[in-house]
C-alpha cells in the first residue's frame, strides 16, 4: 500500500485557506515594504525579494506535487521547466535594457556584442514584447514537456527509469545553456535587468507589485491544481498512480492522463521560473542543476506529498531554513537538508500536513480515494 495515498486531504476549504493566506501574506509584506525605513514594520528590499523567491519556488513545488503526489511520477528534472520559464522572461528583460547597456546597442544584448554576434538569433525575435514573453513562459516548458512526455509515457517508461531520464534531461539542458554559442549568455546567463513594462525593477513600488502578483499567481495555480485533482480526471490520476495496469484494463489510457498532467505541471513550473527571474534579477544555467530538482522533491516530501498545500508550505519552510542555516552554518546546510529528508521519510511519511492532520484527527471522508492495493499491480 502506498503510504502517501491514504490520508491526503484534497478539501477545497483547505486549499482556499492556503490561497488566501498566501495572498494576504504577500500583500501585507508588500505594504510593509512601502512604509518609511524608520518604521518598525518596514520590510527591506532584501526581505521582499526573498519572499518573492520563496513563492516562486512554491510554484515549482506545486508542479512537482501534481505529478508525483497524484500521478506517481517521481520527477527529478522539473528544474528544467522552471529555468526555461525563467529564460523566456529573462529574454524580454534583456531587451528592455535597450541602449542603456554597457555597449549602448539597442538591438543586441551586451553579451552578444561581447561575443561578436552580428544579428539577433531567430529565437529571440519578438522577445521585446511582454505579451510574447508571457506566452513563451508557459509555451516553451509545455512544449518540451509534451514532447518528452509523449515519448516517455508512450514507451511506458516509469518508476526509477523515468526519474533518471528526467534528471538526464535537465543535466543536458544545463550543459547546453553553458555554451556561449547557444545565445543565452553562457555561464553568466542573463542579468543586469532594469525595467519591466517600463517600471524600474529596483524601485520599491515595483518590487511590491511583483510580490503581490507572485502571490496571486501562486494562489491561482493552487486553485487550478485543486480543480484538476478534485475532478474525475484527478480520480483517474490517482487510479493510474495506485494501479496503472488495472486502470488500463478498464479501458482508460494512463499514458494520456500522465501526459496531460505532466504538461500542465511543466507550465506551472515555467510560470514560477518567470516570476523568480523578475525578483531575483538573474537566470543562469545553474538553475538547470539536477540538485535543484532534487531539492524540490524534498520540499514536497517535507510538506506532504499529494496534498498541494503541503507542497507550498514545504517549499517556503525549507527555503526559509536554508536561508537561516546558510547564514549561520553554511558548510553544514547540505548535511542538514539530507538529514531533514531522512527524518521526514522515517518519522513523517505524510509530511507536515500528515502531522497536522494527525493532531486534528481529520475525518475519514476527506481522504484521497484509494483505488486498489498496489501489490497486485506490481505483481
Amino acid at each position: 500500500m502506498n503510504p502517501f495515498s491514504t490520508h491526503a486531504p484534497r478539501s477545497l476549504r483547505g486549499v482556499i485557506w492556503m490561497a488566501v493566506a498566501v495572498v494576504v501574506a504577500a500583500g501585507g509584506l508588500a505594504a510593509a515594504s512601502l512604509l518609511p525605513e524608520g518604521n518598525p514594520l518596514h520590510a527591506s528590499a532584501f526581505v521582499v525579494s526573498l519572499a518573492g523567491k520563496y513563492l516562486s519556488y512554491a510554484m515549482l513545488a506545486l508542479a512537482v506535487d501534481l505529478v508525483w503526489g497524484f500521478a506517481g511520477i517521481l520527477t527529478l528534472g522539473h528544474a528544467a521547466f522552471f529555468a526555461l520559464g525563467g529564460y523566456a522572461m529573462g529574454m524580454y528583460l534583456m531587451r528592455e535594457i535597450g541602449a542603456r547597456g554597457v555597449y549602448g546597442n539597442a538591438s543586441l544584448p551586451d553579451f552578444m556584442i561581447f561575443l561578436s554576434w552580428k544579428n539577433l538569433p531567430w529565437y529571440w525575435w519578438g522577445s521585446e514584447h511582454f505579451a510574447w514573453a508571457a506566452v513563451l513562459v508557459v509555451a516553451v516548458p509545455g512544449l518540451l514537456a509534451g514532447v518528452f512526455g509523449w515519448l516517455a509515457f508512450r514507451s511506458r517508461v516509469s518508476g526509477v527509469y523515468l526519474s533518471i531520464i528526467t534528471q538526464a534531461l535537465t543535466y543536458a539542458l544545463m550543459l547546453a545553456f553553458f555554451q556561449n554559442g547557444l545565445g543565452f549568455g553562457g555561464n553568466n546567463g542573463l542579468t543586469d535587468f532594469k525595467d519591466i513594462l517600463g517600471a524600474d525593477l529596483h524601485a520599491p513600488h515595483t518590487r511590491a507589485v511583483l510580490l503581490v502578483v507572485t502571490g496571486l499567481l501562486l494562489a491561482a495555480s493552487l486553485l487550478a491544481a485543486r480543480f484538476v485533482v478534485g475532478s474525475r480526471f484527478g480520480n483517474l490520476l490517482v487510479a493510474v498512480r495506485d494501479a496503472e495496469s488495472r486502470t488500463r484494463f478498464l479501458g482508460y489510457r494512463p499514458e494520456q492522463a500522465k501526459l496531460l498532467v505532466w504538461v500542465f505541471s511543466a507550465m506551472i513550473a515555467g510560470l514560477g521560473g518567470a516570476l523568480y527571474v523578475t525578483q531575483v534579477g538573474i537566470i543562469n544555467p545553474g538553475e538547470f542543476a539536477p540538485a535543484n530538482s532534487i531539492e524540490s522533491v524534498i520540499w514536497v516530501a517535507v510538506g506532504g506529498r499529494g496534498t498541494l498545500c503541503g507542497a507550498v508550505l514545504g517549499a517556503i519552510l525549507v527555503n526559509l531554513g536554508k536561508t537561516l542555516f546558510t547564514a549561520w552554518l553554511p558548510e553544514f546546510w547540505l548535511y542538514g537538508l539530507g538529514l531533514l529528508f531522512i527524518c521526514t521519510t522515517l518519522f513523517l511519511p505524510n509530511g507536515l500536513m500528515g502531522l497536522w492532520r494527525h493532531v486534528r484527527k481529520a475525518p475519514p471522508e476527506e481522504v484521497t480515494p484509494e483505488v486498489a492495493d498496489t501489490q497486485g499491480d506490481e505483481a
Side-chain angles (χ1 to χ4, degrees):
M1 177 178 293
N2 189 335
F4 297 102
S5 63
T6 54
H7 296 292
R10 296 189 296 169
S11 67
L12 179 61
R13 185 177 60 180
V15 172
I16 290 177
W17 272 111
M18 176 60 79
V20 171
V22 166
V23 173
V24 170
L29 194 57
S33 70
L34 300 178
L35 295 174
E37 290 192 5
N39 192 300
L41 297 179
H42 172 74
S44 67
F46 173 74
V47 172
V48 173
S49 175
L50 208 56
K53 185 171 76 171
Y54 292 166
L55 296 185
S56 302
Y57 280 153
M59 296 186 73
L60 173 59
L62 181 65
V64 171
D65 193 28
L66 261 179
V67 295
W68 185 35
F70 294 92
I73 305 170
L74 175 56
T75 170
L76 297 179
H78 251 53
F81 307 127
F82 184 83
L84 285 174
Y87 267 98
M89 181 55 69
M91 292 164 65
Y92 161 73
L93 296 174
M94 288 297 292
R95 298 299 303 280
E96 274 284 284
I97 296 175
R100 292 171 293 172
V102 175
Y103 298 101
N105 191 318
S107 301
L108 293 176
D110 281 345
F111 73 87
M112 289 187 182
I113 299 174
F114 180 77
L115 296 173
S116 302
W117 288 60
K118 302 300 181 186
N119 299 302
L120 203 64
W122 63 267
Y123 42 84
W124 277 73
W125 293 351
S127 56
E128 69 273 21
H129 302 294
F130 179 81
W132 179 239
V135 171
L136 292 181
V137 160
V138 293
V140 173
L143 180 62
L144 176 63
V147 174
F148 177 87
W150 186 78
L151 293 172
F153 301 138
R154 185 169 177 268
S155 304
R156 300 189 182 181
V157 179
S158 61
V160 66
Y161 300 105
L162 182 65
S163 301
I164 293 173
I165 292 175
T166 57
Q167 196 163 52
L169 170 69
T170 193
Y171 187 70
L173 285 171
M174 182 183 72
L175 295 180
F177 274 75
F178 266 121
Q179 305 298 318
N180 288 328
L182 197 62
F184 290 105
N187 183 55
N188 295 323
L190 309 179
T191 187
D192 195 29
F193 308 133
K194 300 186 185 307
D195 296 337
I196 180 169
L197 292 172
D200 183 4
L201 273 174
H202 306 290
H205 288 82
T206 307
R207 291 182 181 275
V209 170
L210 286 173
L211 179 59
V212 172
V213 170
T214 306
L216 288 172
L217 289 178
L218 173 58
S221 301
L222 192 57
L223 293 173
R226 168 58 181 76
F227 175 78
V228 170
V229 302
S231 65
R232 293 184 62 185
F233 177 71
N235 291 334
L236 176 59
L237 289 177
V238 175
V240 171
R241 180 195 67 187
D242 293 339
E244 181 171 341
S245 296
R246 296 181 188 182
T247 306
R248 180 175 288 108
F249 293 152
L250 289 173
Y252 293 99
R253 300 288 298 275
E255 58 274 10
Q256 292 183 356
K258 286 182 175 180
L259 181 60
L260 286 175
V261 75
W262 178 259
V263 171
F264 180 56
S265 167
M267 294 169 78
I268 292 178
L271 185 58
L275 294 167
Y276 170 88
V277 169
T278 58
Q279 293 168 100
V280 175
I282 185 172
I283 182 74
N284 59 40
E287 297 301 332
F288 287 101
N292 292 352
S293 296
I294 296 173
E295 278 195 35
S296 67
V297 171
I298 295 176
W299 304 338
V300 175
V302 170
R305 175 192 171 196
T307 64
L308 298 181
C309 294
V312 174
L313 188 65
I316 294 174
L317 292 181
V318 173
N319 279 288
L320 178 60
K322 181 178 183 179
T323 301
L324 297 176
F325 269 92
T326 50
W328 297 336
L329 300 168
E331 63 273 21
F332 293 110
W333 162 243
L334 288 179
Y335 298 106
L337 185 64
L339 182 63
L340 177 64
F341 184 62
I342 292 173
C343 290
T344 300
T345 304
L346 292 178
F347 305 113
L348 288 174
N350 294 314
L352 295 175
M353 294 301 293
L355 178 63
W356 171 249
R357 199 164 42 244
H358 177 73
V359 172
R360 292 187 60 198
K361 296 180 180 177
E365 58 270 18
E366 294 187 8
V367 303
T368 298
E370 178 77 12
V371 174
D373 194 326
T374 57
Q375 293 179 356
D377 194 52
E378 292 170 354

